[in-house]
Amino acid sequence: MGHVNDLQAPPAAERLAVIDLDALRHNVRHLVRLVSPARVMAVVKADAYGHGAGPVARAALEAGASWLGVAHISEALALRSAGINAPVLAWLHTVDSPFAEAVAGNIDLGLSGWELESVVAAARELQIPARVHLKIDTGLGRNGCPPDLWESFVGRALAYQEEGLLRVVGIFSHFSVADEPERPETDLQLERFRTAVAVAEDAGVDHEVRHIANTPAALSRPDSHFDMVRVGLGLYGLSPFPGQSPEQLGLQPVMTLKTTIANCKEVPAGQGVSYGLRYSTAEPTTLALVPLGYADGVPRVGTGGPVWVDGTVYPVVGRIAMDQMVIDLETTGIAGTGKDLVGREAILFGGAGLPSVDEWADASGSINYEIITRISGRVQRRYTDTGSSQEAGQGPAEPEAAPEGSEA
Ligand SMILES: *Cc1c(COP(=O)(O)O)cnc(C)c1O
């Protein structure tokens, strides 16, 4: 049993993150058109923001993305192990990062300073030139070479390039406030970036790609596109701008988070709900139990977040627990009393007509990036994919991998 080719329906998933690869490809094509002739790097770090790096990377490449981007070398190596051979850039390293494996795996490495020596040592040992992108800190204050050290950093890299130990493929940086287009710091960062590129070119760097734009800059600052944009959030169909919906930006949300109602019961007025009894029913009502909690990645502080059941949206009442949360069917004023909802689909967020990731972000004092990324491995991923004949492959985090023509 258990052959990959079994055409049996997969077992019903009790908790599902449905990943709509058609929506993902739509988003990629939209972004590719928007930034052309600049290229698109699909950022698939953190298991593609919780969507599954393998299937997302394949669909993104198929829809026109040219590069992949991740934070960790281990994430890049996982893409290689999944048989993906497109250019991959990894940019966040520690002294324990597997630089030799990265060089051997043809992974592009973003470098800010000290890593240069480690990467060169690996290249020397392997007799394979490393492919590197030099990062300038234009104002974010995280990684990146400080501007006053840039010229000497570039000089060292070029010396190693002369020795045949590396090739400077790219120059890059990262924005700090591109999601707030009215702020002036983005202009300043762009100016510093242009200066850094000019310094590198004058020193003899013959780069393939200059890149600084993330999703908000890709959408709002054509002057930031250079040769490539690195988009994460936009791939997943979410908006980086408060007050602007995905639809307004031409994007379609990719993830739908759902389960089924696990219990439903009538309770009297004054019934306390969940740990701490922070909620008490105002009148006799019906409570429904939604079997998702913070162990599934739903923020504990997300009380009030929306749950769609049967076309009605109910706010979560009381504390969200590790495994579960409660909705009060009276809260909307349409008496759910006596209604048995056990087994009905309960959707926390999804695409058009459903509650949004942004509503969960607002309820939790967080941002949409965090809500999707923290959906845990306890929630099964299922891929819907009508627009491609290719298999919906396995996410590295999830062994369940049957190609899916439709959701459960
Ligand atoms: C995560 C990340 C991105 C993608 O940012 P989005 O806002 O999701 O598009 C781009 N570049 C770097 C360096 C990142 O860390």
Side-chain angles (χ1 to χ4, degrees):
M1 59 175 292
H3 288 293
V4 197
N5 291 330
D6 279 358
L7 289 175
Q8 280 174 309
E14 298 181 275
R15 278 154 284 271
L16 260 185
V18 179
I19 309 302
D20 182 349
L21 293 179
D22 297 316
L24 183 99
R25 277 194 294 265
H26 162 90
N27 298 331
V28 172
R29 282 192 296 263
H30 179 69
L31 291 160
V32 165
R33 270 195 303 269
L34 190 72
V35 306
S36 174
R39 280 166 283 177
V40 168
M41 171 186 285
V43 177
V44 297
K45 63 188 178 188
D47 204 20
Y49 294 33
H51 294 63
V56 164
R58 277 187 213 99
L61 291 167
E62 204 179 272
S66 327
W67 290 65
L68 299 170
V70 292
H72 304 168
I73 290 173
S74 58
E75 297 177 303
L77 292 170
L79 292 168
R80 288 284 182 259
S81 296
I84 293 167
N85 297 315
V88 183
L89 173 66
W91 53 70
L92 182 60
H93 317 298
T94 70
V95 292
D96 297 313
S97 291
F99 293 113
E101 286 173 55
V103 173
N106 202 26
I107 308 296
D108 287 30
L109 297 168
L111 306 182
S112 297
W114 66 267
E115 317 95 315
L116 178 61
E117 305 306 327
S118 306
V119 169
V120 161
R124 206 186 290 278
E125 178 78 23
L126 288 164
Q127 299 277 298
I128 302 172
R131 291 171 51 89
V132 307
H133 299 230
L134 304 181
K135 186 172 194 178
I136 171 87
D137 182 359
T138 53
L140 181 58
R142 301 193 320 196
N143 247 332
C145 177
D148 55 323
L149 301 178
W150 177 247
E151 196 170 353
S152 83
F153 184 45
V154 167
R156 274 160 58 215
L158 282 173
Y160 289 130
Q161 181 167 293
E162 283 292 299
E163 273 190 74
L165 293 168
L166 59 78
R167 154 131 184 80
V168 180
V169 174
I171 297 170
F172 76 118
S173 188
H174 194 36
F175 283 127
S176 47
V177 295
D179 54 332
E180 300 173 77
E182 66 289 351
R183 290 183 61 167
E185 292 94 335
T186 298
D187 284 326
L188 188 59
Q189 285 195 256
L190 272 172
E191 193 183 306
R192 290 184 181 140
F193 187 60
R194 287 193 202 95
T195 302
V197 168
V199 167
E201 287 173 348
D202 287 349
V205 170
D206 176 24
H207 51 70
E208 290 169 21
V209 281
R210 301 159 297 166
H211 47 107
I212 184 170
N214 51 3
T215 294
L219 293 170
S220 68
R221 294 291 303 241
D223 57 339
S224 74
H225 293 171
F226 292 91
D227 305 306
M228 181 161 75
V229 302
R230 304 185 305 267
V231 292
L233 192 73
L235 298 179
Y236 309 109
L238 301 181
S239 167
F241 306 119
Q244 262 189 295
S245 69
E247 292 71 26
Q248 286 171 311
L249 297 168
L251 301 171
Q252 299 174 1
V254 171
M255 183 190 289
T256 299
L257 180 62
K258 63 185 191 178
T259 181
T260 58
I261 298 295
N263 194 15
C264 194
K265 66 185 178 191
E266 291 180 36
V267 298
Q271 171 72 54
V273 174
S274 195
Y275 296 128
L277 302 178
R278 298 299 184 87
Y279 180 80
S280 176
T281 57
E283 50 192 305
T285 184
T286 304
L287 299 178
L289 189 65
V290 179
L292 283 166
Y294 60 78
D296 304 295
V298 180
R300 178 174 180 272
V301 294
T303 300
V307 181
W308 180 103
V309 186
D310 265 1
T312 302
V313 176
Y314 304 92
V316 172
V317 297
R319 281 204 183 128
I320 293 176
M322 187 180 293
D323 314 304
Q324 47 198 299
M325 61 181 83
V326 174
I327 54 178
D328 178 346
L329 302 188
E330 286 286 358
T331 51
T332 55
I334 66 145
T337 310
K339 224 174 173 185
D340 185 1
L341 297 184
V342 171
R344 299 297 177 84
E345 196 166 62
I347 304 180
L348 273 65
F349 56 77
L354 293 169
S356 66
V357 175
D358 293 295
E359 289 169 78
W360 272 97
D362 291 344
S364 312
S366 183
I367 55 172
N368 50 14
Y369 289 80
E370 186 181 8
I371 300 296
I372 52 174
T373 303
R374 72 206 310 277
I375 298 307
S376 80
R378 206 163 75 158
V379 176
Q380 188 179 317
R381 269 60 172 175
R382 179 162 295 165
Y383 297 90
T384 65
D385 192 357
T386 60
S388 163
S389 56
Q390 84 163 37
E391 288 182 16
Q394 70 290 344
E398 289 296 319
E400 191 258 67
E404 282 293 315
S406 65
E407 58 194 69

